[in-house]
Amino acid sequence: MSLLERIGGPRDLKALPAADLPALAQEVREFLVDQVARTGGHLGPNLGVVELTIALHRVFDSPTDAIVFDTGHQSYVHKLLTGRHDFSALRKEGGLSGYPSRAESAHDVVENSHASTSLSWAHGIAAGRVVRGEKNRHTVAVIGDGALTGGMAWEALNNIAAETDLPLVLVVNDNERSYAPTRGGLADHLSTLRTTRGYERFLDWGKRNVSRTPVVGGAMYETLHGVKKGIKDIVAPQGMFEDLGLKYVGPVDGHDEQAIENALRKARAFGGPVLVHVITQKGRGYDPAISDEADQFHAVGVINPETGLPLEIAGRSWTDEFADTMVSLGEERKDVVAITAAMMMPVGLQPFCDRFPERTFDVGIAEQHALTMAAGLAFSGLHPVVAVYATFLNRAFDQLLMDCALHKAGVTVVLDRSGVTGPDGASHHGMWDMTISGVVPGLHLAAPRDGQQVAAAVRAAVDIADAPSVVRFPKGTVADPIEAVRTVDGVDVLSEPDSGDVEVLLVGVGSMAVTSLTAAEKLAAEGHRVRVVDPVWALPVPEALVSLARGAGRVAVVEDNVVVGGIGSQVTQALRDAALDVPVDTFGIPRRFLDHASRGQVLDAVGLTPDAVASALRSRLA
């Protein structure tokens, strides 16, 4: 039996002799490469935290002590050490989540995979336990250097530092990266901490030499030690954390398990908040990951474990269409600039950055700052394009509303991975953005139905100078082009009967155009008269769409957004405002969190398939 097979939980791990831990770490890495190669998932981050996670579970007593992982994509090792060894269906329906999951284990605390939240969670847990008199229970937050670029983390640090007796350990997992290398002033500061050992060497020299000086030596050393704060700021600027009132330990070699254990035991015994700075290497122990300059295998699909090469070659993606459009726009217009929040490659801005580095801004994991900075850039005469995942627009709603819309700022927000994303689960589905956008005065929103429409929508968006605009598209391979049979004042008619009024005006929003067309074909085969349209710009609801509804018996809207407050709701309101009494059927995502599964499985479960839409409409037409 291997060492890993003997680990059914933290108690088994604690019972292992320290001499066996390097072999266990090697087994864990081999397991991760073998299993994640079969399913896809976050490989590089987990390879980097093997020794750190082992040390955490040997020093602390989970779940009595709470361990909170920021973002959570680096929790695979944690899952293994807490007894979850079946990775055969990782991120698939019925299998393990790719993030911590309370449904899986009492050892999992936070399953929200949005970054920079762990310190607030940990502060609340630790403070709550103190209030309840549970002062012997420790709380640990594991946060990456990338997540520390988020303002929320610093709001939490400001409060944590004021509670000097809080049993809280903050572990900074510093691998110089989020997806790509971490950028900004904090990254530079941590880089200095990684490379500077001057303070310790200086004090060691002083203790050896100054204290030997007769009569004044001891006093001189005490004076020297008394001004250590100033010396630290010069030769080892961990003083930034100590200025906040936090005890700082480190930097610690994140692949020396015993060194990490020693640092964590000191932190645990301190009796107040302690920051432990651990230096790790993303992709550790797997050459293909180490050699990958882009993101060191942050996330992979199904790969050959020997070479790291993908076994499935993906087609052209929606993101590729956006990336090419941005480069072309950059060539044509010097006023177009790009902003992203630590996701330069995933959202397709890397080619623009390579070509126009002086017009590209990576603000770190700080979506709020990104939107308000964009408003400022617009005020200065530029047109910023802010590219983020759709699920992360939630974090910058106030800035979109008050800084961009209120000030009529010409800012374009491009939302990648909108709608149902599949295996990343509840917090990654981009299912809220059209509801959020729908309450913003003056905002324009386009949901392209195919790659050609992505380019057209982005180009049209950057021409809007007096209001924010949003362009959203899904994850995955781009849809084949869908040609309109005609256009009515900007609304594309995709299919319709040869003449006369129709029973159903079927509105397919974005990627749901294909679903709508197939549903219409099924109904038409049964003799029903259906017209399928793509509004192109879904917000504000086009007047042409209202006009087309006048000739229909009913209207149906199909969207991959939460149905409450979505485009269907907006269309319903527009018809009411026009005093048009036409029934409206809305097909969208129900107001609930959706578990991880394939995109197709999730769409089937929520009734967003051609069969489900056709069946529902058929019953209403009978």
Side-chain angles (χ1 to χ4, degrees):
M1 180 181 290
S2 70
L3 290 170
L4 181 57
E5 290 172 331
R6 290 160 50 187
I7 305 299
R11 287 186 180 180
D12 300 325
L13 179 63
K14 293 175 190 289
L16 277 185
D20 287 343
L21 298 180
L24 174 63
Q26 180 62 24
E27 287 184 18
V28 169
R29 286 195 169 92
E30 291 172 356
F31 177 94
L32 290 174
V33 171
D34 177 67
Q35 294 295 310
V36 178
R38 301 170 191 264
T39 62
H42 289 97
L43 183 56
N46 285 283
L47 293 173
V49 298
V50 175
E51 289 85 1
L52 170 57
T53 311
I54 290 172
L56 284 168
H57 279 293
R58 281 173 64 86
V59 172
F60 296 96
D61 297 315
S62 177
T64 300
D65 295 332
I67 302 176
V68 178
F69 291 93
D70 204 287
T71 310
H73 59 252
Q74 78 286 50
S75 64
Y76 296 3
V77 185
H78 164 78
K79 289 176 186 270
L80 282 172
L81 299 181
T82 51
R84 287 165 279 177
H85 293 187
D86 183 3
F87 274 52
S88 61
L90 176 69
R91 302 170 70 246
K92 297 180 180 178
E93 188 176 32
L96 290 179
S97 168
Y99 298 93
S101 169
R102 290 182 177 180
E104 288 179 12
S105 173
H107 295 280
D108 291 3
V109 178
V110 179
E111 49 192 80
N112 174 7
S113 57
H114 288 193
S116 308
T117 65
S118 64
L119 303 189
S120 297
W121 267 101
H123 181 207
I125 293 168
R129 287 175 171 176
V130 168
V131 170
R132 289 172 55 87
E134 300 171 350
K135 295 185 178 181
N136 292 326
R137 300 180 70 180
H138 284 76
T139 305
V140 183
V142 182
I143 184 168
D145 57 306
L148 269 182
T149 62
M152 187 174 174
W154 290 90
E155 292 173 19
L157 280 172
N158 181 54
N159 281 271
I160 289 167
E163 301 190 40
T164 57
D165 61 348
L166 208 60
L168 177 58
V169 177
L170 314 176
V171 178
V172 176
N173 170 34
D174 183 2
N175 61 19
E176 305 180 58
R177 289 175 170 265
S178 46
Y179 284 83
T182 307
R183 301 170 187 242
L186 176 65
D188 293 342
H189 182 89
L190 289 175
S191 177
T192 303
L193 288 179
R194 288 182 212 113
T195 57
T196 303
R197 305 278 183 173
Y199 169 68
E200 288 80 3
R201 289 197 299 268
F202 189 76
L203 278 189
D204 286 346
W205 171 84
K207 196 167 187 176
R208 288 195 311 271
N209 297 287
V210 178
S211 59
R212 293 175 188 167
T213 305
V215 184
V216 298
M220 188 179 293
Y221 177 73
E222 290 302 318
T223 301
L224 174 66
H225 200 70
V227 297
K228 67 179 182 178
K229 179 64 177 67
I231 297 170
K232 275 189 176 183
D233 287 343
I234 297 170
V235 298
Q238 59 260 50
M240 179 177 71
F241 297 109
E242 294 188 342
D243 283 344
L244 287 170
L246 290 170
K247 174 69 175 175
Y248 173 93
V249 176
V252 181
D253 181 350
H255 302 294
D256 183 337
E257 196 279 336
Q258 288 299 294
I260 306 171
E261 272 199 43
N262 291 338
L264 291 176
R265 292 188 192 282
K266 289 178 183 177
R268 191 177 193 274
F270 180 68
V274 180
L275 188 145
V276 180
H277 183 188
V278 180
I279 312 299
T280 62
Q281 181 184 36
K282 197 172 181 179
R284 177 82 169 191
Y286 185 44
D287 287 342
I290 296 297
S291 302
D292 180 42
E293 294 183 4
D295 64 3
Q296 294 184 327
F297 281 24
H298 180 85
V300 298
V302 178
I303 60 173
N304 181 329
E306 299 297 324
T307 64
L309 296 175
L311 295 180
E312 301 174 356
I313 305 300
R316 186 168 177 80
S317 71
W318 296 83
T319 310
D320 292 334
E321 299 289 346
F322 166 64
D324 288 352
T325 303
M326 280 297 292
V327 172
S328 296
L329 280 171
E331 297 282 0
E332 298 165 18
R333 291 180 48 165
K334 295 186 184 301
D335 64 323
V336 171
V337 296
I339 307 175
T340 190
M343 303 185 77
M344 192 75 70
M345 289 174 291
V347 298
L349 283 181
Q350 191 63 54
F352 185 90
C353 179
D354 293 341
R355 179 67 182 86
F356 309 105
E358 73 286 353
R359 288 157 57 187
T360 308
F361 305 91
D362 185 344
V363 299
I365 300 175
E367 292 86 359
Q368 293 169 292
H369 169 54
L371 265 294
T372 301
M373 179 187 179
L377 288 166
F379 180 74
S380 72
L382 302 174
H383 192 105
V385 177
V386 183
V388 295
Y389 282 1
T391 183
F392 299 137
L393 179 64
N394 311 355
R395 312 185 72 170
F397 171 68
D398 183 67
Q399 290 70 30
L400 178 66
L401 180 67
M402 293 298 175
D403 294 321
C404 296
L406 178 62
H407 293 87
K408 295 181 170 57
V411 171
T412 295
V413 182
V414 173
L415 302 178
D416 200 318
R417 304 196 181 196
S418 67
V420 170
T421 56
D424 284 330
S427 62
H428 264 56
H429 293 304
M431 54 189 274
W432 324 102
D433 59 280
M434 290 198 287
T435 296
I436 288 172
S437 300
V439 302
V440 177
L443 181 141
H444 302 258
L445 182 141
R449 64 181 180 265
D450 57 39
Q452 291 180 0
Q453 294 297 314
V454 169
V458 173
R459 287 182 171 277
V462 298
D463 282 336
I464 299 172
D466 59 353
S469 55
V470 173
V471 178
R472 51 116 59 188
F473 49 79
K475 175 183 179 181
T477 303
V478 73
D480 292 332
I482 302 171
E483 297 297 332
V485 297
R486 64 188 178 106
T487 298
V488 180
D489 293 334
V491 173
D492 285 347
V493 178
L494 305 183
S495 71
E496 62 183 346
D498 292 336
S499 62
D501 289 342
V502 296
E503 295 174 81
V504 181
L505 178 68
L506 187 50
V507 182
V509 180
S511 63
M512 291 291 102
V514 176
T515 300
S516 300
L517 281 168
T518 307
E521 289 173 3
K522 293 178 180 296
L523 292 171
E526 300 168 7
H528 295 293
R529 299 173 61 78
V530 181
R531 175 178 289 128
V532 180
V533 299
D534 171 11
V536 183
W537 285 89
L539 294 176
V541 175
E543 291 184 8
L545 190 62
V546 176
S547 298
L548 287 166
R550 295 184 187 280
R554 65 190 313 115
V555 175
V557 181
V558 186
E559 59 185 303
D560 55 348
N561 182 83
V562 63
V563 73
V564 178
I567 302 303
S569 297
Q570 298 279 344
V571 169
T572 301
Q573 186 62 50
L575 298 183
R576 299 296 172 265
D577 291 345
L580 186 58
D581 187 17
V582 178
V584 180
D585 301 304
T586 56
F587 298 89
I589 300 171
R591 184 167 51 186
R592 69 171 188 261
F593 293 109
L594 306 178
D595 290 336
H596 61 280
S598 71
R599 174 177 163 84
Q601 287 170 329
V602 175
L603 290 174
D604 184 58
V606 300
L608 283 179
T609 63
D611 284 341
V613 171
S615 177
L617 287 174
R618 186 183 300 115
S619 66
R620 294 163 195 177
L621 292 169

